[in-house]
């Protein structure tokens, strides 16, 4: 954890300015047009009138996110200091926008970047916007849970050595399921080869505020990181931060990208929640995160006794060669149930009112965070016990449903495929074509195919399997049995298109 000035960290500059503005008897002729609740709508049935009353944009005294000189600047500076960064930008469109800013500020068209293939869709969009050339690395897949894991230091070193002309590397710290790489060593090696280190820390905000967690990106010396404070740090949904350290990426380029991607109407409620969460995490985070880990461990012990569920935590992952693990995450393997993980997910919500983070065919993911209540462990354990009583069958053996042993082959830069001529084909007939779109299960939002990759028979079978079991599939083409591909790309591999696109 980082050494910080606790007196300074007691301040909440944005919240204070906000409170002051709301206390004034303001007569409004600005946006938002509801004018602090001048209308009554059905929205009030959920929130009374309080949200309208407090929803302002950037009135006088509350600074401007595009060019902050007042309370937003001060609040961002406090956040940067709390995290050991040199500079911070508040984000109101999640780490989605943080990833876009990182990729577009650090890379230009055709710059090479090394990155794991299990990145979030926003990273692929960052490649499209920047025009960068990705070199994808395939992390190991755990055969029991089918979770896509981390890339080890040894593998990173090899990839870096094989691509010395790369401008940057991109690391996920931690993965959605909590696996952590040896980021410090990876960063040092990448820096020794003049590469920029960008980190997706969407699931690791809490790493900055507890010594029970793996090291944070800033502590490891990374150049930029994006953190979804809303995911594990206690701020409101969408509110995130971008952290910057050192000068490998020009501040001017960061600000330029940020101003291109960010709304000119940021929600004051989201910004205030970031200022409040930072103070909370500095003073109470360590204890709350300790409690979250304690709850996760207790839940693991109790779930371990329920037939049909195998909870895994740090020891399971480190035995597989994963460097470290975020113990606020509880990965539960489905074992000998007559239903799959997606079905358990639905039953937990529909029957027991328990919303877990996500499910895959053979795995469930529960998050333990600063907001977790100890008593809720009972509800989870009870529900899983009842599901076990109904669906556990010792005779069940699972068939490997995975048709796809690897991600599809890449043939074009994502940007070239994105701009390539459109053809719509039936999914069943798509083999050989280069995709124009991303297709993924959400959550976790890791694309099964991205623009520039070629449809394979295995991928088509995989997608048909997910359709059959009614997963939440996201794609850009809205027709359900068709996909969007680059015209004629089954013949010429799309090379003619590649040449035309910058
Ligand atoms: C690894 C990863 N990166 C980035 C994001 C995007 O974060 P946000 O929801 O804050 O936009 C997610 C979202 O789930 C994610 O899992």
């Amino acid at each position: 954890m980082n050494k910080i000035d606790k007196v300074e960290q007691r301040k909440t500059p944005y919240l204070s300015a906000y409170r002051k503005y709301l206390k004034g008897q303001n007569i409004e002729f600005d946006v938002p047009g509801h004018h602090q609740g001048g209308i009554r709508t059905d929205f009030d049935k959920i929130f009374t009138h309080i949200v309208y009353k407090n929803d302002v944009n950037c009135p006088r005294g509350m600074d401007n996110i595009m060019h902050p000189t007042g309370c937003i600047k001060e609040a961002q500076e406090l956040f940067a200091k709390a995290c050991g960064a040199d500079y911070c930008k508040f984000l109101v469109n999640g780490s989605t926008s943080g990833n876009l800013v990182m990729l577009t500020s650090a890379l230009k068209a055709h710059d090479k970047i090394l990155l794991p293939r299990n990145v979030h869709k926003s990273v692929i969009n960052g490649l499209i916007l920047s025009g960068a050339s990705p070199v994808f690395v395939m992390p190991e897949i755990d055969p029991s849970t089918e979770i896509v894991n981390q890339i080890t230091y040894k593998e990173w070193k090899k990839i870096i050595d094989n691509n010395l002309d790369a401008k940057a590397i991109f690391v996920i710290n931690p993965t959605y399921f909590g696996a952590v790489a040896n980021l410090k060593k990876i960063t040092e090696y990448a820096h020794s080869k003049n590469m920029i280190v960008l980190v997706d820390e969407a699931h690791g905000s809490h790493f900055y505020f507890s010594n029970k967690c793996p090291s944070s990106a800033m502590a490891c010396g990374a150049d930029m990181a994006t953190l979804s404070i809303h995911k594990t740090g206690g701020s409101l949904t969408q509110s995130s931060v971008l952290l910057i350290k050192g000068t490998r990426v020009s501040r001017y380029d960061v600000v330029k990208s940020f101003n291109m991607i960010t709304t000119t109407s940021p929600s004051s409620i989201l910004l205030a929640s970031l200022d409040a969460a930072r103070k909370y995490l500095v003073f109470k985070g360590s204890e709350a995160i300790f409690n979250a880990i304690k709850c996760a461990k207790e839940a693991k012990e109790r779930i371990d006794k329920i037939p049909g569920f195998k909870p895994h935590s740090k020891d399971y992952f480190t035995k597989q060669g994963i460097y470290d693990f975020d113990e606020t995450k509880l990965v539960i393997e489905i074992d000998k149930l007559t239903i799959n993980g997606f079905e358990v997910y639905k039953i937990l919500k529909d029957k027991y009112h328990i919303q877990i983070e996500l499910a895959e065919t053979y795995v469930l993911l529960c998050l333990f965070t600063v907001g977790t209540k100890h008593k809720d462990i009972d509800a989870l354990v009870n529900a899983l016990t009842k599901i076990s009583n109904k669906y556990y069958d010792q005779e069940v053996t699972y068939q490997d449903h995975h048709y796809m042993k690897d991600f599809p082959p890449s043939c074009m830069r994502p940007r070239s495929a994105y701009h390539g001529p459109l053809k719509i084909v039936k999914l069943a007939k798509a083999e050989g074509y280069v995709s124009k779109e991303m297709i993924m299960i959400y959550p976790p939002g890791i694309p099964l195919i991205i623009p520039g990759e070629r449809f394979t028979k295995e991928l088509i079978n995989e997608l048909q399997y997910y359709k059959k079991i009614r997963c939440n599939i996201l794609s850009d083409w809205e027709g359900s049995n068709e996909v969007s591909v680059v015209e004629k790309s089954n013949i010429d591999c799309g090379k003619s298109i590649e040449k035309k696109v910058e």
Side-chain angles (χ1 to χ4, degrees), residues 93-96 99 120 122 172 176 200 202-203 228 230-231 240 442 444:
N93 189 22
S95 286
T96 294
N99 278 332
H120 185 254
S122 54
I172 312 168
Y176 213 130
D200 182 338
H203 295 278
S228 296
H230 68 95
K231 288 192 196 295
S240 299
Y442 189 86

Side-chain angles (χ1 to χ4, degrees), residues 62-266:
M62 285 180 63
D63 210 358
N64 190 302
I65 199 165
M66 296 280 153
H67 191 92
T69 54
C71 60
I72 294 180
K73 180 171 184 278
E74 284 171 44
Q76 288 180 161
E77 282 169 1
L78 286 175
F79 218 119
K81 286 182 188 170
C83 295
D86 295 334
Y87 189 61
C88 167
K89 285 299 240 180
F90 283 176
L91 305 167
V92 288
N93 189 22
S95 286
T96 294
S97 59
N99 278 332
L100 294 179
V101 176
M102 289 203 293
L103 276 107
T104 53
S105 58
L107 302 164
K108 295 196 172 54
H110 301 285
D111 278 347
K112 213 178 192 188
I113 176 164
L114 317 179
L115 68 173
R117 177 54 181 77
N118 58 329
V119 285
H120 185 254
K121 71 192 280 281
S122 54
V123 181
I124 307 299
N125 285 327
L127 294 173
I128 293 169
L129 279 181
S130 64
S133 290
V135 175
F136 285 113
V137 189
M138 188 57 208
E140 290 279 309
I141 299 182
D142 172 359
S144 310
T145 58
E146 298 186 344
I147 294 173
V148 185
N149 267 324
Q150 269 292 357
I151 298 168
T152 62
Y153 168 69
K154 215 167 130 195
E155 286 163 325
W156 268 117
K157 188 171 178 298
K158 198 164 128 204
I159 300 148
I160 290 172
D161 286 341
N162 288 340
N163 294 279
L164 289 171
D165 56 339
K167 176 125 186 251
I169 71 163
F170 187 96
V171 185
I172 312 168
N173 185 61
T175 62
Y176 213 130
F177 290 94
V180 169
N182 188 344
L183 187 56
K184 191 163 193 302
K185 263 179 102 173
I186 295 166
T187 300
E188 279 166 7
Y189 196 69
H191 282 169
S192 76
K193 304 293 176 195
N194 290 323
M195 293 180 197
I196 295 164
V197 179
L198 308 176
V199 182
D200 182 338
E201 228 167 14
H203 295 278
S205 309
H206 51 299
F207 287 10
Y208 290 84
F209 304 97
S210 163
N211 55 18
K212 303 279 175 230
C213 292
S215 301
S216 68
M218 291 297 113
C220 292
D223 301 293
M224 278 206 257
T226 183
L227 285 61
S228 296
I229 307 298
H230 68 95
K231 288 192 196 295
T232 60
S235 65
L236 294 181
T237 295
Q238 287 185 218
S239 60
S240 299
V241 298
L242 181 68
L243 301 176
I244 296 114
K245 195 172 187 140
T247 53
R248 274 187 194 83
V249 183
S250 120
R251 186 77 52 90
Y252 169 71
D253 285 338
V254 173
V255 172
K256 207 161 45 121
S257 292
F258 175 88
N259 286 350
M260 175 176 72
I261 282 155
T262 304
T263 173
T264 45
S265 307

Side-chain angles (χ1 to χ4, degrees), residues 39-80:
I39 55 169
R40 287 281 185 270
T41 70
D42 281 2
F43 192 72
D44 293 345
K45 289 181 186 164
I46 309 177
F47 294 112
T48 67
H49 213 50
I50 197 145
V51 178
Y52 280 124
K53 268 263 166 258
N54 296 314
D55 177 43
V56 296
N57 185 336
C58 39
R60 185 165 152 69
M62 285 180 63
D63 210 358
N64 190 302
I65 199 165
M66 296 280 153
H67 191 92
T69 54
C71 60
I72 294 180
K73 180 171 184 278
E74 284 171 44
Q76 288 180 161
E77 282 169 1
L78 286 175
F79 218 119

